[in-house]
Amino acid sequence: MASITLSARSLAALLGQWKTAAPAYRGLADRIRLLVLDGRIPVGTRLPAERELADRLALSRTTVTAAYRELREAGYLRSIRGSGSVTLLPSAPTALAPVPQGGFLDFSKAAVPPCPEIIDAVATAAAELPRYMHDFDYDLVGMPELRQAIADRYTARGLPTDPDEIMVTVGAQHAIALIARTLLSRGDRVLVEMPSYPHAYEALRAAGARLGAATVSSETGWDVRELEQWFERTSPAMAYLMPDFHNPTGASMPLETRRRVAAAAERHGTVLVIDETTAELDIDRPTDQGLDGTPFAALEGAPVSIITIGSVGKTIWGGLRIGWIRAERGTIRKLVSARSLGDLGTPILDQLTVQQLMPAMDGIVARRGVALGETRDRLVDLLADRLPEWTVPRVDGGIATWVNLGEAASSQLSLAARSHGLVIVAGPRFGIDGAFERYLRIPISYPWAQTEQAVELLTQTWHSAMFGHVPALDYLEDVV
C-alpha cells in the first residue's frame, strides 16, 4: 500500500519546467523518473490520477496516460485498477543510454578517496581485535578509547569534552536520525537550512517533524534576521544547522551570526543540532569573520544543550562508517536508551581502525585542505573557460561548489547528462518543494582527472540537444 499520496498540485510543483523538445509524454515521463531516482518522489508514492494530472498540467489525458505507460514499462510505476499508480524502482535492468568506456562517472556523492594511512590502520586494528572479542559485542555507546580520542580532539579545538559526552554512531546520518527520533515528537517544528543535506530532511521528516527553512547563499551566507524571525515566529523544538563549509553552498557562518543564533535558541528553548562533518575541511577561510575552526558549541555563553555531530566520512573515508554525537551527559543517556530500537551498536573493527587514525588527524585534514584547494582552483578556471555563462563560487572550504547555471535547467541537465555517462544530482534535491532549479552541486573532492572528465561531460551535455528524450536508466544515486 502506498504510504504517500501526491496531489496533482504537488506533483506539478515538483515537475517545474519539464517540457523539452521531445514529445510531451516522454518529457513528462523523463521528469517523473528523475524525481523518483533522486528521491524527491519517494518509492511507494501514489501519483495523482491521470485525468487529475492532465487537468492540472493543461494536457490531454492521452498524454498523461502515455507517460504513465512508459514509466510502467520502464519499471518505475505499478498501476492497479482501483488503487491508482504507485512509484517503484526497476527490479531488472532497463535500456541504458550509450555511456563512455568504463560505465558511469558518478558525481552524485561529494566523497573523498581513502587516505593512505587506512591500510596500516586496518591491519593494526585487526591485530588488536582479539583483545576485544570477549568484552565487546553490541556496543551502544562506543569504545572508551575511541570516545576518549574524540573528546581529546574537541578539547584541542577549544571545546573541553569528557568521554561520557561522546556517543559513537554508524556515521553522521545515523546520528541525525537517532537524534531526531529520540528528541522530537510528531508535529514538532524544526528549523533547517535551504539548501541543505537532503538525507537530514528525510530523517527529520521520518520523525514526524514539520520543517521550516531559512535560506543559505554561497554569495551572502545566512540572513541572520531571517533566522531570528524563524525562532520568534515558530519557537522550533530543534534547529539543524551546518555552519562550517555548508553542504552544498560551501558558506561558513560568521561569528556574530553564530552568537545571535545561539542566543535565539536559548530564548526559545530550541535544541541546536550542529553538523560538523565538513567543519575541518578548511582550504583558505579568511580570518576577518572571526573564525578559527573552533566548534560552534564553544561559543562564549552558548547553551549547554547544543548537540554536535561529527564523522570521519569526509576526512578519512566514507567507507569507514564511524560518526559521533557530542552532547551533555543526560542527552547521551537518552540516546543510548533509545538506540536499540534501530540498531545494536557500532562495529568494533571500524572503531579500532578510527582509533588508530585519530593521532594522525591533523596531518590528514591538512592534506585534504591542500587537495581540495587545488581541485577548486582548477575547477573554477576550467568552468570559466568551458561554461562561461555559469557562475562558479570560489569556496574557501568544504567538499563542493554550488554553481548557478543562469537558467532553471538543473533537472534537465542532470537527466540529460546520464546519456553522456555522468550521474550528477540536480539542485532541487538539496531543497524543499522543487527549489534550486538554477543550481548544480559539483564536488571538489574527487581526483582531478575525474573532475576534469565530469566537466567535459557537462559541457557536452550543455552544448548538445540536451533537452531531448533520454532513455530510461536503472541507476539510483545516493547523495552524501
Side-chain angles (χ1 to χ4, degrees), residues 289-310:
Q289 295 178 331
L291 302 178
D292 57 5
T294 302
F296 190 108
L299 285 171
E300 185 178 353
V304 296
S305 59
I306 290 178
I307 299 174
T308 303
I309 293 171

Side-chain angles (χ1 to χ4, degrees), residues 355-391:
Q355 180 194 335
Q356 295 297 321
L357 290 167
M358 289 300 288
M361 280 296 292
D362 285 343
I364 292 170
V365 168
R367 290 199 308 274
R368 290 293 188 205
V370 171
L372 290 166
E374 291 175 352
T375 300
R376 175 204 61 189
D377 292 343
R378 298 173 75 175
L379 177 64
V380 169
D381 291 343
L382 185 59
L383 287 174
D385 178 62
R386 301 299 171 84
L387 294 159
E389 60 269 46
W390 291 8
T391 300

Side-chain angles (χ1 to χ4, degrees), residues 19 30 52 74 104 109 153 159 175 190 220 236 270 298 317-318 329-330 353 359 383 418 435 456 458 462:
K19 292 184 178 179
D30 282 343
E52 180 188 359
F104 289 99
K109 304 172 180 66
R153 187 156 185 81
L159 179 60
V190 175
T220 60
T270 301
W317 182 43
R329 294 169 179 81
T353 300
L383 287 174
R418 295 164 184 268
E456 292 300 324
L458 282 171
W462 187 259

Side-chain angles (χ1 to χ4, degrees), residues 21 52 54 60 68 122 254 263 266 315 404 446 463:
E52 180 188 359
S60 69
Y68 279 20
V122 170
E266 180 81 354
T315 52
N404 188 331
Y446 286 70
H463 290 156

Side-chain angles (χ1 to χ4, degrees), residues 31-242:
R31 182 55 63 89
I32 293 174
R33 182 170 61 251
L34 177 65
L35 293 171
V36 173
L37 281 169
D38 71 12
R40 281 177 276 166
I41 297 179
V43 172
T45 297
R46 179 181 289 110
L47 297 186
E50 294 168 4
R51 186 182 300 279
E52 180 188 359
L53 184 59
D55 290 344
R56 186 73 192 182
L57 298 178
L59 299 171
S60 69
R61 185 178 178 183
T62 301
T63 298
V64 177
T65 299
Y68 279 20
R69 181 174 61 246
E70 180 153 309
L71 289 166
R72 283 194 299 272
E73 291 173 354
Y76 291 88
L77 205 62
R78 180 181 70 252
S79 299
I80 302 173
R81 186 178 298 276
S83 299
S85 298
V86 177
T87 59
L88 64 156
L89 290 171
S91 56
T94 56
L96 294 179
V99 297
Q101 188 67 31
F104 289 99
L105 178 60
D106 184 4
F107 258 53
S108 65
K109 304 172 180 66
V112 296
C115 68
E117 292 92 340
I118 284 182
I119 300 301
D120 288 342
V122 170
T124 303
E128 292 285 324
L129 184 61
R131 294 176 44 218
Y132 295 86
M133 285 184 170
H134 300 295
D135 297 325
F136 280 88
D137 39 36
Y138 303 113
D139 181 15
L140 292 172
V141 65
M143 295 175 54
E145 298 92 337
L146 179 55
R147 287 189 288 123
Q148 181 69 63
I150 295 168
D152 289 346
R153 187 156 185 81
Y154 275 117
T155 300
R157 292 176 58 210
L159 179 60
T161 302
D162 291 328
D164 55 2
E165 295 174 307
I166 299 293
M167 177 185 192
V168 181
T169 62
V170 188
Q173 178 62 22
H174 173 233
I176 297 168
L178 178 60
I179 291 166
R181 73 168 187 260
T182 304
L183 302 183
L184 292 175
S185 299
R186 186 159 298 277
D188 279 350
R189 292 189 178 274
V190 175
L191 173 62
V192 296
E193 298 151 326
M194 190 172 72
S196 189
Y197 179 52
H199 293 316
Y201 292 154
E202 293 163 2
L204 293 165
R205 282 172 168 155
R210 293 182 293 163
L211 305 186
T215 56
V216 182
S217 165
S218 54
E219 294 82 16
T220 60
W222 292 255
D223 182 335
V224 65
R225 185 57 190 148
E226 181 189 12
L227 285 166
E228 288 177 328
Q229 287 173 347
W230 271 108
F231 281 104
E232 291 165 7
R233 289 199 305 263
T234 66
S235 294
M238 182 179 291
Y240 168 82
L241 305 174
M242 195 180 300

